[in-house]
């Protein structure tokens, strides 16, 4: 299986352009219309992970493959995809339209944890067939997204977060007994879930004297009482990333938040994130963002 597609690769592969502000944002969100599968350039979406969340409203029928499951959509459906689960569509020529939105975990910083919801968990339901009336309701919801994202309202992304949660709860209410039908996690998924929960417990950082204590794969392996090689294999199997890569990405996310939303000095931020030298933090941040911390703050 190929590596997971990043948001940057999504734009390059599908639209041949890159939003100017993608690197500068703390979190990213966008919404699109799902065009019918037609034309010379139409290609089937490969079965792989995407390094972002996606919620798709599908009009038409087809087969949705995710993890080790295949779900046949008869008429219309709302589909939830997350970075831990590979997926693809079969018989996409039968899809006649719809919508989808994409976003990353950072888009919801300080607004809740998406992974707490079963439809974003490895063993949860990801596909919900809907009636014509539900299709009409959800289509109107996506149209609100377009209206909001194209507006000049200064807090429009707060509104868009609320709309995403509306869709999440709309689907969850359709399957109140979801917990009764869950499949047990395999060993790698269980370790990966515990690792991600432990990682998130260190954030957000609310005080410059607060210092994250778990910085390396071996730190997490010790806390989880597993060998570091076992942890690394489980993370690679379930995310197509290394443990260090995931830790680094989360630290970068928190650094961007602190640079944008606090008046802390760069040295205070570096210290809180576990760097003993400011130069190490500067080099780490620039490696990931291609900007120095001060340039990112002043954009």
């Amino acid at each position: 299986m190929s590596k997971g597609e990043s948001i940057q690769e999504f734009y390059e592969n599908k639209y041949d352009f890159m939003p100017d502000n993608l690197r500068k944002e703390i979190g990213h969100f966008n919404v699109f219309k799902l065009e019918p599968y037609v034309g010379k350039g139409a290609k089937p979406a490969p079965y792989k992970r995407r390094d972002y969340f996606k919620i798709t409203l599908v009009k038409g029928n087809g087969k949705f493959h995710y993890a080790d499951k295949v779900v046949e959509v008869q008429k219309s459906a709302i589909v939830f995809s997350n970075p831990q689960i590979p997926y693809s569509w079969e018989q996409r020529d039968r899809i006649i339209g719809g919508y989808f939105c994409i976003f990353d975990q950072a888009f919801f910083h300080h607004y809740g944890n998406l992974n707490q919801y079963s439809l974003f968990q490895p063993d949860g339901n990801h596909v919900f067939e809907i009636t014509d009336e539900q299709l009409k309701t959800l289509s109107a919801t996506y149209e609100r997204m377009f209206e909001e994202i194209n507006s000049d309202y200064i807090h429009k992304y707060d509104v868009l977060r609320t709309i995403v949660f509306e869709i999440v709860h709309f689907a969850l209410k359709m399957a109140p007994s979801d917990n009764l039908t869950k499949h047990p996690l395999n060993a790698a998924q269980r370790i990966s879930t515990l690792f991600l929960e432990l990682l998130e417990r260190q954030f957000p950082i609310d005080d410059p004297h607060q210092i994250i204590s778990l910085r390396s794969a071996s730190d997490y392996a010790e806390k989880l009482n597993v060998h570091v090689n076992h942890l690394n294999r489980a993370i690679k199997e379930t995310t197509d990333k290394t443990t260090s890569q995931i830790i680094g990405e989360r630290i970068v996310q928190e650094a961007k938040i602190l640079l944008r939303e606090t008046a802390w000095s760069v040295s205070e931020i570096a210290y809180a994130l576990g760097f003993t030298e400011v130069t190490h933090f500067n080099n780490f941040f620039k490696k990931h963002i291609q900007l120095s911390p001060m340039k990112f703050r002043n954009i």
Side-chain angles (χ1 to χ4, degrees):
M1 188 189 304
S2 59
K3 70 181 182 67
E5 179 187 62
S6 68
I7 284 185
Q8 290 86 350
E9 290 168 334
F10 163 79
Y11 281 104
E12 290 170 351
N13 296 338
K14 192 170 181 67
Y15 295 102
D16 197 27
F17 86 99
M18 186 76 64
D20 292 336
N21 60 345
L22 193 59
R23 280 187 307 161
K24 305 170 188 176
E25 295 175 328
I26 292 174
H28 182 72
F29 177 92
N30 213 341
V31 59
F32 304 88
K33 289 193 175 180
L34 185 64
E35 302 297 338
Y37 181 76
V38 295
K40 292 182 179 179
K43 297 179 181 178
Y47 179 76
K48 65 179 181 180
R49 293 181 178 89
R50 277 76 175 174
D51 194 22
Y52 49 86
F53 294 85
K54 183 177 182 181
I55 305 178
T56 308
L57 179 62
V58 175
K59 300 177 184 178
N61 57 37
K63 291 183 179 180
F64 183 68
H65 297 249
Y66 72 95
D68 58 349
K69 304 174 181 65
V70 180
V71 177
E72 185 162 4
V73 174
Q74 299 294 334
K75 196 171 183 181
S76 300
I78 187 80
V79 180
F80 297 83
S81 309
N82 68 77
Q84 293 190 60
I85 303 296
Y87 64 89
S88 68
W89 278 97
E90 183 184 344
Q91 300 171 335
R92 289 185 64 223
D93 55 311
R94 299 180 182 180
I95 295 173
I96 58 175
Y99 307 85
F100 68 94
C101 62
I102 62 170
F103 48 91
D104 55 17
Q105 181 72 56
F107 182 68
F108 284 91
H109 74 278
H110 298 177
Y111 289 89
N113 180 11
L114 292 177
N115 295 319
Q116 70 179 301
Y117 298 109
S118 61
L119 41 73
F120 288 125
Q121 294 172 352
D123 58 339
N125 285 338
H126 298 255
V127 184
F128 300 81
E129 290 216 57
I130 55 177
T131 64
D132 290 343
E133 189 62 31
Q134 290 169 329
L135 174 63
K136 183 178 178 181
T137 299
L138 288 169
S139 296
T141 302
Y142 274 90
E143 289 296 335
R144 284 170 51 209
M145 283 188 185
F146 281 108
E147 180 180 348
E148 202 61 52
I149 203 168
N150 292 321
S151 75
D152 295 325
Y153 180 47
I154 190 172
H155 300 299
K156 64 183 179 183
Y157 287 105
D158 288 343
V159 178
L160 287 163
R161 291 182 187 95
T162 301
I163 296 174
V164 170
F165 279 124
E166 279 184 31
I167 296 175
V168 166
H169 291 291
F170 185 96
L172 288 172
K173 288 179 180 178
M174 293 167 58
S177 60
D178 184 44
N179 288 334
L180 300 178
T181 59
K182 280 189 175 183
H183 300 283
L185 296 176
N186 64 34
Q189 290 172 331
R190 184 168 59 252
I191 291 173
S192 180
T193 298
L194 291 172
F195 162 75
L196 293 172
E197 288 177 355
L198 192 57
L199 176 64
E200 284 302 320
R201 282 182 205 166
Q202 299 198 100
F203 306 100
I205 297 176
D206 299 316
D207 186 283
H209 300 293
Q210 178 185 346
I211 305 171
I212 64 172
S213 58
L214 304 177
R215 284 290 311 274
S216 67
S218 57
D219 291 337
Y220 285 89
E222 183 178 353
K223 282 286 185 182
L224 295 171
N225 199 28
V226 297
H227 193 279
V228 66
N229 292 341
H230 188 36
L231 172 63
N232 289 336
R233 283 195 298 271
I235 298 303
K236 188 66 175 177
E237 178 182 330
T238 57
T239 69
D240 277 339
K241 294 183 180 182
T242 66
T243 312
S244 297
Q245 186 179 357
I246 292 177
I247 296 168
E249 288 175 352
R250 186 60 183 88
I251 291 174
V252 167
Q253 177 186 329
E254 194 69 14
K256 291 167 73 174
I257 293 169
L258 295 174
L259 286 165
R260 282 283 171 82
E261 298 187 359
T262 74
W264 302 358
S265 68
V266 172
S267 60
E268 286 177 320
I269 293 172
Y271 179 72
L273 293 174
F275 292 87
T276 56
E277 298 287 342
V278 177
T279 53
H280 294 165
F281 171 64
N282 287 338
N283 293 336
F284 169 83
F285 191 86
K286 194 168 184 178
K287 177 183 175 182
H288 285 81
I289 307 299
Q290 289 77 54
L291 295 169
S292 70
M294 286 306 298
K295 283 186 178 179
F296 177 82
R297 170 172 268 174
N298 294 327
I299 290 173

